[in-house]
Amino acid sequence: QQPVQSPQAVILREGEDAVINCSSSKALYSVHWYRQKHGEAPVFLMILLKGGEQKGHEKISASFNEKKQQSSLYLTASQLSYSGTYFCGTVNSGGSNYKLTFGKGTLLTVNP
Amino acid sequence: GAVVSQHPSRVICKSGTSVKIECRSLDFQATTMFWYRQFPKKSLMLMATSNEGSKATYEQGVEKDKFLINHASLTLSTLTVTSAHPEDSSFYICSASGLAGGPSSLGEQFFGPGTRLTVL
């Protein structure tokens, strides 16, 4: 079942922060985050495994709440290069460890 | 590391012809490759999962006779769209996931640049 992402779109000024949420109705094994720019392939950002961990990559970090079946992606002090569509991909517990189901995406626009 | 290439990047063909798309993992061995289809401003829809040396597993609603997948080696998978029609026009993207201990040991998928197929 497709995870639900919110918001669908967000517009920021350079330097502002944003949070993108991803929730599932099924128990999750892992959550993957990707960013896709127009006309290009998705780029892997990070993976979070069950255990409630939090990860960071420069000014982009994410958390995973296994009990709530939710993950959030945090973008701080946004840069113009952060613009794109962010997808979460989920792997269900008990399913194939490598089969991802993607959300509908969140379009992030960072303006100068 | 973890680079995946896809060829061709764009293809335009006439209705009824077949088109082959190649997906290669350049710097790691991909035990599993995935084929997705993406419509404009939409999410990625998984079409099939292919494991090296075995038959592909297709998602519900995907015609296996129309979308032929071959995963002949740990670095190459091909998708052939047979008897293509205008409704098959789309952006096709492959991804690769590798062996334990490698750059994709936790199940991360690394995507190719995609192939835009236009069927006239």
Side-chain angles (χ1 to χ4, degrees):
Chain A
Q1 191 159 353
Q2 189 174 38
V4 176
Q5 280 185 242
S6 63
Q8 291 184 340
V10 59
I11 299 174
L12 300 174
R13 286 194 179 274
E14 204 172 0
E16 292 181 337
D17 302 339
V19 180
I20 300 172
N21 300 303
C22 175
S23 63
S24 174
S25 59
K26 292 192 171 185
L28 298 177
Y29 172 77
S30 64
V31 179
H32 305 220
W33 285 97
Y34 291 83
R35 177 173 61 214
Q36 184 179 31
K37 293 187 181 284
H38 180 68
E40 301 178 7
V43 173
F44 174 75
L45 294 176
M46 63 189 77
I47 180 174
L48 300 105
L49 303 176
K50 64 179 181 179
E53 64 173 351
Q54 186 154 353
K55 274 197 172 181
H57 177 69
E58 296 182 343
K59 295 178 181 176
I60 300 175
S61 62
S63 63
F64 177 26
N65 187 320
E66 179 189 349
K67 289 183 180 179
K68 292 187 177 180
Q69 296 156 195
Q70 292 176 349
S71 177
S72 295
L73 185 72
Y74 307 95
L75 302 105
T76 58
S78 59
Q79 304 170 15
L80 297 177
S81 61
Y82 286 3
S83 293
T85 301
Y86 289 78
F87 291 99
C88 69
T90 56
V91 177
N92 294 336
S93 291
S96 163
N97 280 355
Y98 299 117
K99 180 178 168 180
L100 283 172
T101 303
F102 285 93
K104 291 186 176 181
T106 296
L107 177 61
L108 175 72
T109 304
V110 181
N111 293 320
Chain B
V3 179
V4 178
S5 71
Q6 209 171 320
H7 178 79
S9 57
R10 284 180 180 273
V11 58
I12 300 173
C13 68
K14 291 183 179 180
S15 187
T17 60
S18 294
V19 175
K20 180 186 280 189
I21 302 169
E22 290 188 353
C23 177
R24 293 181 186 271
S25 57
L26 299 184
D27 54 0
F28 71 106
Q29 292 182 317
T31 51
T32 307
M33 285 187 171
F34 304 85
W35 288 95
Y36 294 86
R37 184 172 179 175
Q38 187 176 35
F39 291 103
K41 298 186 180 180
K42 296 293 184 183
S43 187
L44 296 101
M45 300 304 297
L46 180 64
M47 298 175 65
T49 303
S50 87
N51 292 294
E52 183 264 340
S54 60
K55 288 185 178 181
T57 302
Y58 290 81
E59 293 300 299
Q60 194 171 12
V62 178
E63 298 176 60
K64 59 180 68 176
D65 293 332
K66 180 164 187 65
F67 298 99
L68 300 178
I69 292 170
N70 183 273
H71 193 159
S73 74
L74 285 173
T75 59
L76 173 65
S77 176
T78 60
L79 167 68
T80 302
V81 183
T82 62
S83 187
H85 287 96
E87 57 265 30
D88 298 324
S89 298
S90 191
F91 191 50
Y92 292 88
I93 314 177
C94 71
S95 71
S97 188
L99 297 169
S104 181
S105 55
L106 298 178
E108 305 97 304
Q109 293 184 23
F110 296 96
F111 285 83
T115 296
R116 186 156 305 282
L117 170 64
T118 302
V119 185
L120 303 176

Short mmCIF file of all heavy atoms in Angstrom, two decimals, chain A residues 73-100:
data_model
loop_
_atom_site.label_atom_id
_atom_site.label_comp_id
_atom_site.label_asym_id
_atom_site.label_seq_id
_atom_site.Cartn_x
_atom_site.Cartn_y
_atom_site.Cartn_z
N LEU A 73 11.37 13.92 7.11
CA LEU A 73 12.61 14.43 6.52
C LEU A 73 12.71 15.91 6.87
O LEU A 73 11.76 16.67 6.66
CB LEU A 73 12.59 14.25 5.00
CG LEU A 73 13.87 14.62 4.25
CD1 LEU A 73 14.96 13.58 4.54
CD2 LEU A 73 13.61 14.69 2.75
N TYR A 74 13.83 16.30 7.45
CA TYR A 74 14.03 17.67 7.90
C TYR A 74 15.08 18.34 7.02
O TYR A 74 16.20 17.84 6.89
CB TYR A 74 14.51 17.70 9.35
CG TYR A 74 13.62 16.93 10.30
CD1 TYR A 74 13.90 15.60 10.62
CD2 TYR A 74 12.50 17.52 10.88
CE1 TYR A 74 13.09 14.89 11.48
CE2 TYR A 74 11.69 16.81 11.74
CZ TYR A 74 11.98 15.49 12.04
OH TYR A 74 11.17 14.79 12.89
N LEU A 75 14.70 19.47 6.44
CA LEU A 75 15.65 20.24 5.64
C LEU A 75 15.85 21.59 6.34
O LEU A 75 14.91 22.35 6.51
CB LEU A 75 15.14 20.46 4.22
CG LEU A 75 14.85 19.18 3.44
CD1 LEU A 75 13.37 18.92 3.32
CD2 LEU A 75 15.47 19.25 2.05
N THR A 76 17.06 21.84 6.78
CA THR A 76 17.33 23.07 7.50
C THR A 76 18.19 24.00 6.65
O THR A 76 19.01 23.55 5.84
CB THR A 76 18.06 22.77 8.82
OG1 THR A 76 19.28 22.07 8.53
CG2 THR A 76 17.21 21.93 9.73
N ALA A 77 17.95 25.30 6.85
CA ALA A 77 18.70 26.33 6.12
C ALA A 77 18.76 25.98 4.64
O ALA A 77 19.84 25.81 4.06
CB ALA A 77 20.10 26.47 6.70
N SER A 78 17.58 25.84 4.04
CA SER A 78 17.48 25.31 2.67
C SER A 78 18.31 26.12 1.68
O SER A 78 18.48 27.33 1.79
CB SER A 78 16.02 25.28 2.24
OG SER A 78 15.47 26.58 2.28
N GLN A 79 18.80 25.38 0.69
CA GLN A 79 19.58 25.98 -0.39
C GLN A 79 18.81 25.82 -1.69
O GLN A 79 17.92 24.98 -1.80
CB GLN A 79 20.93 25.25 -0.50
CG GLN A 79 21.73 25.24 0.79
CD GLN A 79 22.92 24.31 0.72
OE1 GLN A 79 23.34 23.86 -0.35
NE2 GLN A 79 23.49 23.99 1.87
N LEU A 80 19.14 26.62 -2.67
CA LEU A 80 18.47 26.53 -3.98
C LEU A 80 18.55 25.13 -4.55
O LEU A 80 17.61 24.65 -5.20
CB LEU A 80 19.08 27.54 -4.95
CG LEU A 80 18.94 29.02 -4.59
CD1 LEU A 80 19.66 29.88 -5.61
CD2 LEU A 80 17.47 29.42 -4.48
N SER A 81 19.65 24.45 -4.28
CA SER A 81 19.86 23.11 -4.84
C SER A 81 18.94 22.06 -4.21
O SER A 81 18.84 20.95 -4.72
CB SER A 81 21.32 22.68 -4.64
OG SER A 81 21.63 22.63 -3.25
N TYR A 82 18.26 22.44 -3.15
CA TYR A 82 17.35 21.48 -2.52
C TYR A 82 16.03 21.35 -3.29
O TYR A 82 15.24 20.44 -3.02
CB TYR A 82 17.03 21.91 -1.08
CG TYR A 82 18.14 21.72 -0.07
CD1 TYR A 82 19.38 21.24 -0.44
CD2 TYR A 82 17.94 22.03 1.27
CE1 TYR A 82 20.39 21.07 0.48
CE2 TYR A 82 18.94 21.87 2.20
CZ TYR A 82 20.16 21.39 1.81
OH TYR A 82 21.17 21.23 2.74
N SER A 83 15.79 22.24 -4.21
CA SER A 83 14.55 22.17 -4.99
C SER A 83 14.43 20.84 -5.71
O SER A 83 15.42 20.32 -6.24
CB SER A 83 14.50 23.32 -6.00
OG SER A 83 14.38 24.56 -5.35
N GLY A 84 13.22 20.31 -5.74
CA GLY A 84 12.98 19.04 -6.41
C GLY A 84 11.79 18.36 -5.77
O GLY A 84 11.15 18.91 -4.87
N THR A 85 11.52 17.16 -6.23
CA THR A 85 10.45 16.36 -5.64
C THR A 85 11.05 15.31 -4.74
O THR A 85 11.94 14.57 -5.15
CB THR A 85 9.59 15.71 -6.73
OG1 THR A 85 9.03 16.71 -7.56
CG2 THR A 85 8.46 14.91 -6.10
N TYR A 86 10.59 15.27 -3.52
CA TYR A 86 11.09 14.32 -2.54
C TYR A 86 10.11 13.15 -2.42
O TYR A 86 8.91 13.34 -2.24
CB TYR A 86 11.27 15.00 -1.18
CG TYR A 86 12.43 15.96 -1.18
CD1 TYR A 86 12.32 17.22 -1.76
CD2 TYR A 86 13.66 15.60 -0.63
CE1 TYR A 86 13.40 18.09 -1.78
CE2 TYR A 86 14.74 16.46 -0.64
CZ TYR A 86 14.61 17.72 -1.22
OH TYR A 86 15.67 18.58 -1.26
N PHE A 87 10.66 11.97 -2.53
CA PHE A 87 9.85 10.75 -2.41
C PHE A 87 10.32 9.94 -1.21
O PHE A 87 11.53 9.79 -1.01
CB PHE A 87 9.98 9.86 -3.65
CG PHE A 87 9.37 10.41 -4.88
CD1 PHE A 87 10.15 11.05 -5.85
CD2 PHE A 87 8.00 10.28 -5.11
CE1 PHE A 87 9.58 11.55 -7.01
CE2 PHE A 87 7.43 10.78 -6.28
CZ PHE A 87 8.22 11.42 -7.22
N CYS A 88 9.38 9.43 -0.45
CA CYS A 88 9.74 8.40 0.51
C CYS A 88 9.36 7.07 -0.11
O CYS A 88 8.39 6.95 -0.85
CB CYS A 88 9.05 8.60 1.85
SG CYS A 88 7.26 8.32 1.88
N GLY A 89 10.16 6.07 0.17
CA GLY A 89 9.89 4.72 -0.27
C GLY A 89 9.91 3.83 0.95
O GLY A 89 10.80 3.94 1.79
N THR A 90 8.92 2.98 1.08
CA THR A 90 8.83 2.15 2.28
C THR A 90 8.97 0.67 1.93
O THR A 90 8.58 0.21 0.85
CB THR A 90 7.49 2.36 2.99
OG1 THR A 90 6.41 2.12 2.07
CG2 THR A 90 7.37 3.77 3.53
N VAL A 91 9.57 -0.05 2.86
CA VAL A 91 9.67 -1.51 2.78
C VAL A 91 8.87 -2.06 3.95
O VAL A 91 9.13 -1.71 5.10
CB VAL A 91 11.13 -1.98 2.87
CG1 VAL A 91 11.21 -3.50 2.86
CG2 VAL A 91 11.94 -1.39 1.72
N ASN A 92 7.91 -2.90 3.65
CA ASN A 92 7.05 -3.44 4.71
C ASN A 92 7.74 -4.56 5.47
O ASN A 92 8.50 -5.34 4.90
CB ASN A 92 5.76 -3.98 4.11
CG ASN A 92 4.91 -2.88 3.51
OD1 ASN A 92 5.01 -1.73 3.90
ND2 ASN A 92 4.07 -3.25 2.56
N SER A 93 7.45 -4.63 6.76
CA SER A 93 7.94 -5.74 7.57
C SER A 93 7.35 -7.04 7.05
O SER A 93 6.16 -7.11 6.75
CB SER A 93 7.54 -5.56 9.03
OG SER A 93 8.23 -4.49 9.60
N GLY A 94 8.16 -8.03 6.91
CA GLY A 94 7.67 -9.32 6.46
C GLY A 94 7.63 -9.46 4.95
O GLY A 94 7.37 -10.53 4.42
N GLY A 95 7.87 -8.38 4.26
CA GLY A 95 7.89 -8.45 2.80
C GLY A 95 9.30 -8.59 2.28
O GLY A 95 10.23 -8.80 3.04
N SER A 96 9.44 -8.43 0.98
CA SER A 96 10.77 -8.45 0.38
C SER A 96 11.59 -7.29 0.92
O SER A 96 11.12 -6.16 0.98
CB SER A 96 10.66 -8.33 -1.13
OG SER A 96 11.90 -7.96 -1.69
N ASN A 97 12.81 -7.58 1.32
CA ASN A 97 13.64 -6.52 1.90
C ASN A 97 14.01 -5.44 0.90
O ASN A 97 14.45 -4.38 1.29
CB ASN A 97 14.92 -7.11 2.48
CG ASN A 97 14.68 -7.72 3.84
OD1 ASN A 97 13.60 -7.63 4.38
ND2 ASN A 97 15.69 -8.35 4.39
N TYR A 98 13.82 -5.72 -0.35
CA TYR A 98 14.29 -4.78 -1.33
C TYR A 98 13.19 -4.16 -2.18
O TYR A 98 13.48 -3.40 -3.08
CB TYR A 98 15.33 -5.46 -2.24
CG TYR A 98 16.53 -5.95 -1.47
CD1 TYR A 98 16.83 -7.30 -1.41
CD2 TYR A 98 17.34 -5.06 -0.79
CE1 TYR A 98 17.93 -7.74 -0.69
CE2 TYR A 98 18.42 -5.49 -0.07
CZ TYR A 98 18.72 -6.83 -0.03
OH TYR A 98 19.80 -7.27 0.69
N LYS A 99 11.95 -4.46 -1.91
CA LYS A 99 10.88 -3.92 -2.74
C LYS A 99 10.33 -2.65 -2.10
O LYS A 99 9.81 -2.67 -0.99
CB LYS A 99 9.77 -4.96 -2.88
CG LYS A 99 8.60 -4.49 -3.72
CD LYS A 99 7.58 -5.61 -3.85
CE LYS A 99 6.28 -5.10 -4.42
NZ LYS A 99 5.29 -6.18 -4.56
N LEU A 100 10.49 -1.54 -2.83
CA LEU A 100 10.06 -0.25 -2.33
C LEU A 100 8.71 0.15 -2.90
O LEU A 100 8.44 -0.06 -4.07
CB LEU A 100 11.06 0.84 -2.73
CG LEU A 100 12.38 0.95 -1.96
CD1 LEU A 100 13.29 1.94 -2.65
CD2 LEU A 100 12.12 1.37 -0.53
#
